[in-house]
Amino acid sequence: MQALDDTSVAPRQADVLSHIGNTPLLRLRAIDREYPGVEIFAKAEYFNPGGSVKDRPALNMIREGERLGLLHPGKTILDATSGNTGIAFAMLGAALGYPVTLCMPSNANQERKRILRAYGAEILLTDPAESSDGAIRVARRLSAESPERYFYADQYSNPANWRAHYDGTGPEIWRQTGGRVTHFVSGLGTTGTVMGVGRRLKVYNPGVRIHAVQPDSPFHGLEGLKHLETALVPAIYDPSVIDAQMEINTEDAYDMVRRLAREEGLLVGISAGAGVLAATQIASTLNEGVVVCVLCDGGDRYLSERFWESEVPPGGWHI
Ligand code: PMP
């Protein structure tokens, strides 16, 4: 084992990291013209190099782990994730020289698994019937069995998750709206986005309303979001940050995803569709306001999903 102060094993630096955060805030003009007096903006998190909102917390968890001496060369980054956090860790691990092991349900989407393998991450598939909670249990067991081998990032319990949004996403939204934001809405996965952005916006202006989006049923297609009533509740979740809970139906979110592609030119993921739909529901109750939602990831990761099948002509593609 090499000594920690041996510079030959110091963590690598990588330019790609400097492009995480500072994402664009887009006005959804085709959507918000139905709500006179209300502006709807979307934080386009798929502009992050790993393609999602999760680059921010993954980088912060790594940096915090290094600072605390829990992560250093020789250790493997471990977490439970069915998608975007895994991609972020896989990308960052490759860039910084850390091996990455990810636990995920075996029914996780194909594109995701291929992206993870492309970055060289190890994937441990868990029982699909137990969904992301099953993956969490396996990650906990591995870390308990081999603490010297793994840095268990534990995104569901790690405060560096929500702090990435408290220090980054929240201030960016405040600045990009010129302090005019009145409502913020986003989905609950690990809950890091809503906890971090919500807390920060309330520091700037306690009157900002924070809305959280959940699927309307335990069996849903809103990838990345949790139905908290029937799931393991993340340790970082604090319901007092949230002013209103909203439930979104999967088919309705699909419709909004298609609409965003056709009317705004934005090809986004399903939770993004759910977030924009929730933003329109908030807008419909207002005479004036500035509503901000989050486009958590891009649509290219979902093109093999059933809801895009309707775009394929009967009998396939012909010239
Ligand atoms: N949407 C997608 C596509 C995600 O991957 C995630 C992360 N699980 C979320 C929304 C929710 O974000 P958070 O974990 O910050 O609650």
Side-chain angles (χ1 to χ4, degrees):
M1 188 81 183
Q2 287 168 294
L4 281 185
D5 58 358
D6 180 343
T7 49
S8 68
V9 293
R12 261 197 254 145
Q13 298 302 317
D15 282 355
V16 71
L17 273 56
S18 62
H19 295 284
I20 293 175
N22 289 314
T23 53
L25 187 73
L26 307 174
R27 172 98 183 257
L28 302 183
R29 292 177 192 278
I31 307 264
D32 77 6
R33 67 173 164 231
E34 291 171 19
Y35 309 96
V38 183
E39 294 161 58
I40 299 179
F41 288 92
K43 191 77 170 137
E45 288 298 299
Y46 57 91
F47 276 76
N48 284 305
S52 87
V53 67
K54 304 305 299 202
D55 282 9
R56 297 173 186 264
L59 176 60
N60 205 37
M61 288 186 280
I62 287 175
R63 289 309 191 209
E64 193 60 9
E66 289 172 337
R67 200 179 64 79
L68 297 172
L70 301 170
L71 175 63
H72 47 77
K75 276 204 154 182
T76 295
I77 297 169
L78 167 73
D79 213 350
T81 160
S82 60
N84 285 324
T85 307
I87 292 173
F89 277 133
M91 171 190 74
L92 294 168
L96 294 172
Y98 293 115
V100 175
T101 298
L102 303 163
C103 306
M104 69 188 59
S106 60
N107 59 350
N109 127 348
Q110 278 305 324
E111 283 99 329
R112 306 271 175 133
K113 289 186 213 156
R114 288 188 183 194
I115 295 169
L116 296 171
R117 291 298 304 146
Y119 282 121
E122 179 187 37
I123 304 177
L124 298 180
L125 296 176
T126 60
D127 184 350
E130 293 184 42
S131 70
S132 59
D133 292 349
I136 294 171
R137 288 187 197 102
V138 171
R140 279 183 187 162
R141 202 192 65 227
L142 285 175
S143 131
E145 283 169 3
S146 312
E148 69 299 336
R149 177 165 174 201
Y150 293 114
F151 166 67
Y152 178 28
D154 195 3
Q155 57 166 337
Y156 291 92
S157 311
N158 191 333
N161 173 352
W162 67 262
R163 287 214 182 102
H165 298 291
Y166 187 88
D167 294 333
T169 327
E172 289 170 30
I173 290 172
W174 185 254
R175 208 171 49 241
Q176 288 169 310
T177 59
R180 294 188 316 120
V181 53
T182 59
H183 295 72
F184 175 74
V185 59
S186 188
L188 297 175
T190 65
T191 76
T193 308
V194 175
M195 291 299 112
V197 175
R199 285 191 176 114
R200 190 60 183 254
L201 292 181
K202 281 183 183 285
V203 170
Y204 291 124
N205 173 6
V208 176
R209 301 264 308 165
I210 307 301
H211 292 242
V213 171
Q214 291 186 49
D216 66 352
S217 119
F219 308 102
H220 64 88
L222 304 182
E223 171 125 12
L225 303 192
K226 269 178 179 272
H227 185 253
L228 286 188
E229 212 176 291
T230 56
L232 280 179
V233 176
I236 61 170
Y237 180 57
D238 174 1
S240 73
V241 176
I242 294 165
D243 297 301
Q245 294 278 356
M246 305 177 71
E247 292 195 344
I248 295 291
N249 174 268
T250 297
E251 297 295 326
D252 295 342
Y254 290 161
D255 285 344
M256 183 54 89
V257 170
R258 281 188 284 254
R259 208 178 144 198
L260 286 163
R262 294 286 159 84
E263 296 181 33
E264 297 278 2
L266 300 173
L267 188 61
V268 297
I270 305 160
S271 71
V276 175
L277 179 59
T280 63
Q281 291 176 357
I282 296 166
S284 71
T285 67
L286 304 175
N287 292 322
E288 57 181 23
V290 176
V291 183
V292 175
C293 58
V294 180
L295 307 177
C296 311
D297 63 3
D300 45 357
R301 284 176 189 170
Y302 304 90
L303 289 175
S304 62
E305 301 268 332
R306 173 178 56 83
F307 73 99
W308 284 119
E309 283 300 309
S310 56
E311 310 306 318
V312 179
W317 302 102
H318 295 287
I319 296 175

